[in-house]
Amino acid sequence: MVALVGPTAIGKTSLALDLARLFDLEVVSADSRQIYRGLDIGTAKPTPAELNRVPHHLVDVVDPSEVLTLAQYQESAFAAIAGIQSRHRLPLLVGGTGLYIWSVVENWRIPRVPPNPEVRLLLEARAEALGADHLHHELASVDPAAAAGIDPRNVRRVIRALEVYEVTGRPISAQQGREPPRYRCLILGLTAAREGLYARADIRVDRMIEAGLLRETSALLETGLDPEVPALTGIGYRQMIEHLQGRCSLEEARERIKTTTHRFIRQQNTWFRRDDPRITWLDFPFSVSEVAPLVSQFLEE
């Protein structure tokens, strides 16, 4: 398997499509937003023409009102990869969601605990009433190992860890780990100078708004979706909702998207840079003529 990783707006989709012209491959998406149906513009989802040109898996797999757990993503990715390999084609794992990438590459052991709405609602209420820090302290008291690895501000992950403990009676950290990797894997990382990448991201934000991001967000809300569902808390949709609620102008929303995207890029770079020894890094501008020999050599080994 080949994995293509890197921050948002760096050109992963474009390079994947270029590689598909040279190799018999299928793409497995590792993007935690492109899984949602109807979230097209704000997730920079491949166009229908691109999806038709190269088979893509794990794009448009759940409704925005649904939640796809990491365990469910991993199971779906394993199934997609098995299908691709059965057709004697190359799986290309493409995305910027680190948890998705490493859960597949490293064969993480993940608790198979489905969401429990009642427990989750109680935990969300406690977080709202007592604050994120209090909930994180609760987690630390029952699962210090998990608490040490979760930022207190990441309320969703704290709630998930507590939910698993409440449902199973066992700390989530005791149910996690790694199995032997399933695949021999070439990991290609795309990188660029920060200011240049920010500029690319800003251009993409402008294009998303011109393409109808506000209209897309409004249409999603008109279906009755709660603005707080995970699908709509992502970058772009949250700021468009703030504008629709009268909390900021469209231009202010545009600038908020850009600022938040810059911060997200820094987070993604930090995540992937921790794994430098395993990643073959390619500096922007990169081309398929530079990448193809690396893939060919890997396949010949």
Side-chain angles (χ1 to χ4, degrees), residues 16 72 86 145 151-152 170 199 202 208 211 222 228 271 276 290-291:
Q72 290 170 325
S86 74
D151 189 322
R170 296 176 59 217
D202 289 349
M208 285 177 174
E222 287 172 2
E228 294 302 318
W271 179 281
D276 265 1
E290 174 189 6
V291 179

Side-chain angles (χ1 to χ4, degrees), residues 52-75:
N52 286 331
R53 199 166 94 214
V54 180
H56 281 66
H57 304 268
L58 302 188
V59 174
D60 291 338
V61 293
V62 294
D63 289 329
S65 60
E66 299 175 308
V67 174
L68 188 76
T69 67
L70 181 60
Q72 290 170 325
Y73 170 81
Q74 185 195 51
E75 287 179 353

Side-chain angles (χ1 to χ4, degrees), residues 95-108:
T97 302
L99 287 173
Y100 280 12
I101 294 287
W102 300 128
S103 74
V104 173
V105 171
E106 296 181 333
N107 196 11
W108 287 1

